Amino acid sequence: MRKKALITGASRGIGKAIAFLLAENNYDLYLTAKSNQDMLFEVSKTIISRFSVNAEAYLLDGANPKAVHDMFGNIPHLDVLINNAGQAYKGLLHEMPASEWHRIIDVNLASAFYACKEALPNMIAQKAGKIINISSFFGETGASCEVAYSAAKAGLNGFTKALAKELGPSNIQVNALALGLIDTDMNSDLSPDEWDNILESIPLGRAGTAKEAAEMVLYILNAPAYLTGQVIRFDGGL
Ligand code: NDP
């Protein structure tokens, strides 16, 4: 029996790289994205033809609990949940509309709650399961002009540690991967000068790749079961 993994935000970037790597490692997949239907379905189609595993695609807003609940009606069992979907917001806090604040907290933090709430009853019954929350080093350091995003990722780190304690007796491991700068669409708005400034602060002198982030996810999945409740930094030595 192949293991089954749900990866949120898998139409592009890090989620897509995780999907390809888990498929290559013989996982059946459930994949989500919010609006890029063509890209999501292309990922699923390519994975099915290249790796001969299942890859079901669901276009939905992960910050909508009803949509997440409805999707789980089609998912009888999960071994792995990767809460990857996320969105950044750049701007001064005092100029941020309250609606945007709620959206950033919902997409980056509440979405992990909604997916865990649906996945956990079966994982707890099986006494097995692994959850990885894709976080950011901003959740630990904070970032100017990204206060809501930093707060959401800090919340995700707390969520990870607390949930790991709650689920330890059920043999379910919960960890967060706190990424540094990864070269994806999320950073496509950075000017060349902004890139240079950030790269100067990274000892390895470059951004990480989505493939490297995916390899870390697989590394955590393959780690001994004693690894839980950790926020693991992956940031080129920042
Ligand atoms: P991208 O912007 O490249 O991709 C984001 C993915 O999330 C897309 O698949 C997008 O779907 C999906 N998504 C966004 N909002 C929702 C939603 N409400 N419901 C469902 N899916 C949604 O981002 P990255 O790949 O760079 O980021 C992945 C994760 O890594 C995020 O959690 C991010 O915060 C984190 N991270 C990234 C860093 C970086 O430097 N890139 C650094 C630190 C953390 P669609 O295509 O339909 O929009």
Side-chain angles (χ1 to χ4, degrees), residues 8-16 32-37 39-40 58-64 83-88 103 106-108 111 133-138 149 153 156 177-187 207-208 210:
T8 66
S11 54
R12 52 204 169 91
I14 295 159
K16 176 179 171 182
T32 77
K34 178 159 182 230
S35 42
N36 280 310
Q37 176 165 346
M39 288 165 88
L40 178 68
Y58 293 90
L59 197 72
L60 60 92
D61 182 355
N64 176 339
N83 289 309
N84 166 76
Q87 212 175 341
R103 191 176 60 83
D106 283 353
V107 173
N108 292 288
S111 65
N133 298 317
I134 305 299
S135 188
S136 163
F137 79 108
F138 285 170
Y149 180 78
K153 294 300 192 184
L156 191 59
L177 181 60
L179 299 171
L181 182 71
I182 307 293
D183 190 3
T184 69
D185 292 349
M186 189 170 268
N187 300 306

Side-chain angles (χ1 to χ4, degrees), residues 3-227:
K3 287 191 174 160
K4 302 201 183 316
L6 167 62
I7 304 158
T8 66
S11 54
R12 52 204 169 91
I14 295 159
K16 176 179 171 182
I18 297 169
F20 273 83
L21 192 61
L22 293 197
E24 193 182 332
N25 282 269
N26 210 30
Y27 280 79
D28 284 330
L29 302 176
Y30 301 97
L31 309 173
T32 77
K34 178 159 182 230
S35 42
N36 280 310
Q37 176 165 346
D38 289 351
M39 288 165 88
L40 178 68
F41 281 73
E42 189 56 38
V43 168
S44 136
K45 218 171 69 184
T46 308
I47 282 177
I48 292 167
S49 67
R50 193 180 297 173
F51 302 108
S52 301
V53 299
N54 295 325
E56 287 179 22
Y58 293 90
L59 197 72
L60 60 92
D61 182 355
N64 176 339
K66 165 128 188 6
V68 175
H69 177 77
D70 289 349
M71 174 183 66
F72 268 88
N74 301 311
I75 303 179
H77 167 80
L78 270 189
D79 299 284
V80 166
L81 169 62
I82 313 287
N83 289 309
N84 166 76
Q87 212 175 341
Y89 174 96
K90 294 192 177 104
L92 295 169
L93 184 75
H94 67 273
E95 292 175 356
M96 184 178 199
S99 58
E100 285 297 286
W101 168 272
H102 289 298
R103 191 176 60 83
I104 291 302
I105 300 294
D106 283 353
V107 173
N108 292 288
L109 175 58
S111 65
F113 160 55
Y114 300 142
C116 286
K117 183 172 163 59
E118 300 295 334
L120 281 175
N122 181 261
M123 284 184 175
I124 291 168
Q126 304 283 326
K127 276 198 170 274
K130 296 200 178 198
I131 297 170
I132 300 179
N133 298 317
I134 305 299
S135 188
S136 163
F137 79 108
F138 285 170
E140 293 174 345
T141 64
S144 168
C145 295
E146 299 206 43
V147 176
Y149 180 78
S150 301
K153 294 300 192 184
L156 191 59
N157 293 348
F159 176 90
T160 300
K161 292 176 196 173
L163 189 60
K165 288 194 163 66
E166 188 168 308
L167 295 176
S170 300
N171 187 38
I172 296 166
Q173 289 79 30
V174 189
N175 292 289
L177 181 60
L179 299 171
L181 182 71
I182 307 293
D183 190 3
T184 69
D185 292 349
M186 189 170 268
N187 300 306
S188 58
D189 61 335
L190 291 173
S191 69
D193 277 355
E194 286 171 321
W195 263 104
D196 288 347
N197 281 340
I198 299 173
L199 292 187
E200 266 176 32
S201 65
I202 302 174
L204 288 186
R206 66 172 178 86
T209 65
K211 186 163 179 280
E212 287 175 314
E215 284 165 356
M216 268 310 285
V217 167
L218 185 64
Y219 190 72
I220 296 168
L221 289 178
N222 289 336
Y226 209 59
L227 181 75

